[in-house]
């Protein structure tokens, strides 16, 4: 396990120290930065050019942060950024070292994929704060990776077909992007639209806590069993809210809204809170339609798969009842694409 | 160009980078080597009108000077770097020579001198 705070004082040997790779052809500059970073509790690895840095990355796979100069012999900082971004398995946080007046290089480095920059001379306090901020970002990313793995695990337990998560990602992206363009009052930016799609697989994460007997029961659920299954929205919501309160990750906040509210109805007759209309977060209203369409057009233990037209008919009946009319309009604007996605993933399954 | 004193750089390093005496000595020794090499290479590339190398060495010199708190000299190095993107002129060699002179004590000191100063 990697801890995402610099080592302070005497730590047990079993706790690994965070590693930072310092890349600079200037040995004195490396020495100065190394001293500062080591005092802050980091383990520092050094390389004198981009090529050496790539070798260090291969030998030390736990390195997640690189601080690099830009102008270097053999392989410069720009080439290093490109090589790292082209070949990374886990996200590498990249900080570039630059001189104050060299704005062009900063812009070039950031556009190639650098995350942050430090102006020379890199003073100790700033260096410590920038590295801490980078590791905070990496912590969020690791948390999200973990949460998405949990979503995938929960899918294995579910009766839904293997591509359910992929399909809902496509459907939610289509809806969110379209609504960001056609419904400015919803205030969905293009980036948020993609974020909604990205976190949509977490909508049923609360089902991990529902018993197999209920989750896999063939046929209709009793009222008590239905009450039990309804709890997945609260459980998923609590889980994600807990993670959000620790990470303040915007993605996890959207995931929380989706997990908790995707069974709310536009007319207020849904669960868990019975909220209605615009009180329901937009991400959850989008998810609701995607989830319903996918459930209708795929086979379950208690029903056959419906055609696109049959599913559409049911969805239209729910206009203003279970579903937001504007979200349904968005679906209608691009229903041929939905049908294609449904068919494609049906064939792939 | 004003002569740079080793003692001033030591104080700057200790204060700015919160370095111990021993670390200040180590850093200073390394910078002496770096400055000596960089200045020699810069002089040589300017004399031989190797414009790309001259730009690179001026850039390295600028970075080293900034870290040592020598902002005025770093600005001179920065101007040289920009000039070398276009051409090398006779006045550039004079400027480099005067920088070498200003940094003589720092670049040409022996490693033992640091210990005495601290």
């Amino acid at each position: 396990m990697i801890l995402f705070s610099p080592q302070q004082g005497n730590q047990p040997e079993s706790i690994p120290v965070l590693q930072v790779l310092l890349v600079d052809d200037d040995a004195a500059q490396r020495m100065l930065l190394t001293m500062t970073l080591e005092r802050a509790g980091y383990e520092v690895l050094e390389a004198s050019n981009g090529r050496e840095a790539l070798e260090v990355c291969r030998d030390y796979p736990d390195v997640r942060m690189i601080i690099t100069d830009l102008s270097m012999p053999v392989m410069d900082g720009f080439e290093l950024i490109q090589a790292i971004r082209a070949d990374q398995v886990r996200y590498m946080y990249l900080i570039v070292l630059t001189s104050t007046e060299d704005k062009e290089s900063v812009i070039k480095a950031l556009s190639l994929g650098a995350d942050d920059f430090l102006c020379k001379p890199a003073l100790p306090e700033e260096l410590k704060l920038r590295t801490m901020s980078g590791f905070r970002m990496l912590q969020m990313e690791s948390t999200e990776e973990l949460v998405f793995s949990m979503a995938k695990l929960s899918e294995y337990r579910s009766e839904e077909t293997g591509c359910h998560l992929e399909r809902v990602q496509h459907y939610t992206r289509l809806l969110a992007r379209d609504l960001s363009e056609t419904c400015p009052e919803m205030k969905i930016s293009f980036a948020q639209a993609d974020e909604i799609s990205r976190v949509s697989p977490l909508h049923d994460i609360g089902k991990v806590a529902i018993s197999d007997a209920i989750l896999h029961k063939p046929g209709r659920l009793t009222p008590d069993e239905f009450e039990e299954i309804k709890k997945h929205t609260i459980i998923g919501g609590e889980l994600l809210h807990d993670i959000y309160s620790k990470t303040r990750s915007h993605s996890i906040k959207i995931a929380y809204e989706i997990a908790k509210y995707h069974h709310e109805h536009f007319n207020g007759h849904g669960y868990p809170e019975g909220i209605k209309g615009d009180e329901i977060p937009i991400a959850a209203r989008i998810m609701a339609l995607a989830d319903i369409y996918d459930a209708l057009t795929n086979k379950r233990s208690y029903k056959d798969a419906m055609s696109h037209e049959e599913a559409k008919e049911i969805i239209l009946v729910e206009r203003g009842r279970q579903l937001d009319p504007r979200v349904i309009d968005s679906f209608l604007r691009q229903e041929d694409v939905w049908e294609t996605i449904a068919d494609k993933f049906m064939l792939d399954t | 160009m004003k002569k740079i004193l080793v003692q001033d750089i030591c104080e700057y390093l200790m204060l700015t980078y919160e370095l111990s005496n021993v670390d200040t000595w180590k850093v200073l020794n390394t910078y002496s080597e770096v400055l000596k090499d960089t200045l020699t290479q810069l002089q040589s590339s300017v004399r031989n009108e190797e414009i790309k190398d001259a730009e690179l060495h001026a850039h390295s010199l600028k970075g080293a000077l900034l870290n040592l708190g020598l902002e005025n000299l770093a600005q001179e190095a920065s101007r040289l770097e920009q000039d070398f993107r276009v051409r090398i002129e006779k006045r550039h060699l004079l400027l480099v020579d005067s920088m070498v002179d200003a940094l003589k004590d720092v670049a040409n000191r022996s490693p033992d001198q640091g210990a005495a100063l601290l």
Side-chain angles (χ1 to χ4, degrees):
Chain A
M1 182 185 163
I2 293 180
L3 293 183
F4 288 93
S5 62
Q7 195 180 32
Q8 300 284 332
N10 294 326
Q11 297 272 353
E13 278 185 7
S14 57
I15 299 175
V17 183
L18 293 174
Q19 293 174 326
V20 178
L21 171 56
L22 207 51
V23 193
D24 200 317
D25 57 325
D26 181 341
Q29 166 84 71
R30 285 205 309 271
M31 182 183 272
L32 258 185
L33 295 180
T34 297
M35 284 173 173
T36 305
L37 289 168
E38 283 181 347
R39 273 206 311 273
Y42 298 105
E43 181 184 334
V44 183
L45 303 161
E46 294 184 27
S48 62
N49 60 60
R51 191 179 296 166
E52 269 184 33
L54 291 176
E55 284 165 19
V56 174
C57 288
R58 270 193 291 274
D59 295 342
Y60 295 85
D62 284 339
V63 173
R64 303 288 308 277
M65 181 178 292
I66 296 178
I67 300 175
T68 181
D69 190 20
L70 290 172
S71 173
M72 290 180 290
V74 187
M75 180 191 256
D76 66 23
F78 300 110
E79 292 170 295
L80 174 63
I81 295 168
Q82 284 176 300
I84 292 282
R85 287 291 177 250
D87 199 29
Q88 66 185 4
V89 179
R90 298 168 75 197
Y91 193 78
M92 183 73 82
Y93 196 85
L94 297 171
I95 301 177
V96 295
L97 284 166
T98 176
S99 52
T100 329
E101 79 274 16
D102 199 1
K103 290 273 186 288
E104 263 180 47
S105 294
V106 172
I107 290 168
K108 187 179 171 190
L110 292 173
S111 67
L112 289 173
D115 296 289
D116 200 358
F117 64 95
L118 261 170
C119 287
K120 291 178 191 173
L123 301 179
E125 203 51 34
E126 188 181 3
L127 179 63
K128 280 186 240 172
L129 291 171
R130 301 253 187 197
T131 44
M132 275 174 70
S133 147
F135 278 115
R136 249 197 322 269
M137 296 286 288
L138 290 170
Q139 181 188 24
M140 277 191 212
E141 196 230 10
S142 298
T143 308
E144 285 182 26
E145 271 176 21
L146 186 66
V147 173
F148 278 96
S149 304
M150 286 161 64
K152 204 70 193 163
L153 274 176
S154 78
E155 193 190 22
Y156 288 126
R157 288 190 64 228
S158 126
E159 59 171 348
E160 285 138 354
T161 58
C163 291
H164 169 66
L165 296 186
E166 282 80 1
R167 285 193 301 269
V168 296
Q169 274 195 300
H170 283 292
Y171 298 146
T172 49
R173 182 180 293 114
L174 286 170
L175 288 175
R177 281 187 175 181
D178 176 72
L179 290 167
S180 82
E181 285 172 7
T182 57
C183 294
E185 75 278 10
M186 286 184 167
K187 292 180 180 153
I188 308 171
S189 70
F190 204 70
Q192 282 170 327
D194 281 356
E195 208 54 27
I196 290 170
S197 159
R198 205 169 74 80
V199 301
S200 64
L202 296 167
H203 64 285
D204 275 340
I205 192 150
K207 282 187 178 169
V208 290
I210 307 296
S211 75
D212 280 351
I214 296 177
L215 208 56
H216 297 149
K217 183 183 176 183
R220 283 201 166 277
L221 297 172
T222 66
D224 282 350
E225 287 167 342
F226 188 56
E227 285 306 312
E228 192 61 26
I229 213 158
K230 278 160 73 174
K231 286 182 187 163
H232 82 275
T233 54
I234 296 168
I235 295 164
E238 279 174 358
L239 170 75
L240 291 164
H241 193 271
D242 193 36
I243 297 170
Y244 170 68
S245 64
K246 287 180 184 122
T247 62
R248 313 310 287 180
S249 157
H250 185 63
S251 307
I252 297 294
K253 183 169 183 273
I254 296 175
Y256 153 74
E257 291 176 348
I258 289 176
K260 184 158 186 187
Y261 299 112
H262 72 286
H263 284 291
E264 296 289 359
H265 290 187
F266 196 70
N267 61 7
H269 293 169
Y271 64 89
E273 290 181 3
I275 53 176
K276 63 181 177 183
D278 288 350
E279 290 169 6
I280 307 166
I282 180 59
R285 279 177 272 155
I286 287 170
M287 185 67 230
L289 196 152
D291 200 26
I292 290 171
Y293 179 83
D294 196 63
L296 293 173
T297 52
N298 283 280
K299 194 174 179 297
R300 294 284 188 274
S301 55
Y302 53 91
K303 70 164 196 66
D304 286 330
M306 284 183 188
S307 69
H308 170 78
E309 286 304 322
E310 288 169 317
K312 180 178 148 187
E313 213 170 293
I314 291 174
I315 283 169
L316 289 178
V317 171
E318 294 303 327
R319 185 187 184 84
R321 292 163 62 174
Q322 186 167 350
L323 299 167
D324 183 338
R326 288 165 298 180
V327 179
I328 292 184
D329 289 340
S330 171
F331 161 71
L332 294 174
R333 276 194 289 275
Q334 42 194 344
E335 59 172 307
D336 49 337
V337 191
W338 283 58
E339 202 173 353
T340 309
I341 291 167
D343 289 345
K344 181 180 183 300
F345 282 97
M346 196 83 76
L347 291 172
D348 289 349
T349 312
Chain B
M1 224 170 266
K2 196 183 153 198
K3 193 173 174 183
I4 304 301
L5 300 175
V6 173
Q7 181 66 38
D8 291 344
I9 294 181
C10 282
E11 282 173 14
Y12 176 83
L13 288 173
M14 290 175 92
L15 275 174
T16 310
Y17 297 99
E18 300 155 19
L19 297 181
S20 65
N21 287 359
V22 175
D23 283 348
T24 305
W25 187 20
K26 280 187 202 166
V27 170
L28 197 64
N29 284 344
T30 314
Y31 266 116
S32 292
E33 289 293 315
V34 167
L35 282 177
K36 197 163 137 186
D37 288 350
T38 311
L39 286 167
T40 308
Q41 288 166 333
L42 180 62
Q43 267 179 323
S44 160
S45 53
V46 173
R47 277 196 191 108
N48 299 326
E49 297 190 7
E50 293 156 345
I51 193 161
K52 265 281 145 206
D53 284 352
E55 185 192 337
L56 189 70
H57 298 314
H59 176 83
S60 302
L61 183 63
K62 177 182 71 180
L65 295 171
L66 280 171
N67 283 334
L68 295 173
L70 305 172
E71 281 178 27
N72 291 339
L73 279 180
Q75 277 175 13
E76 292 292 345
S78 177
R79 273 192 284 273
L80 282 174
E81 182 189 4
Q82 283 164 28
D83 284 358
F84 295 157
R85 286 177 190 156
V86 185
R87 70 175 77 86
I88 293 177
E89 295 170 12
K90 269 196 177 156
R91 66 182 175 90
H92 289 137
L93 187 57
L94 293 174
L95 193 57
V96 172
D97 286 344
S98 60
M99 286 178 91
V100 171
D101 199 44
L103 289 163
K104 197 165 58 185
D105 281 5
V106 186
N108 295 327
R109 55 183 283 286
S110 80
D112 296 336
Q113 280 178 287
L117 280 165
L118 295 164

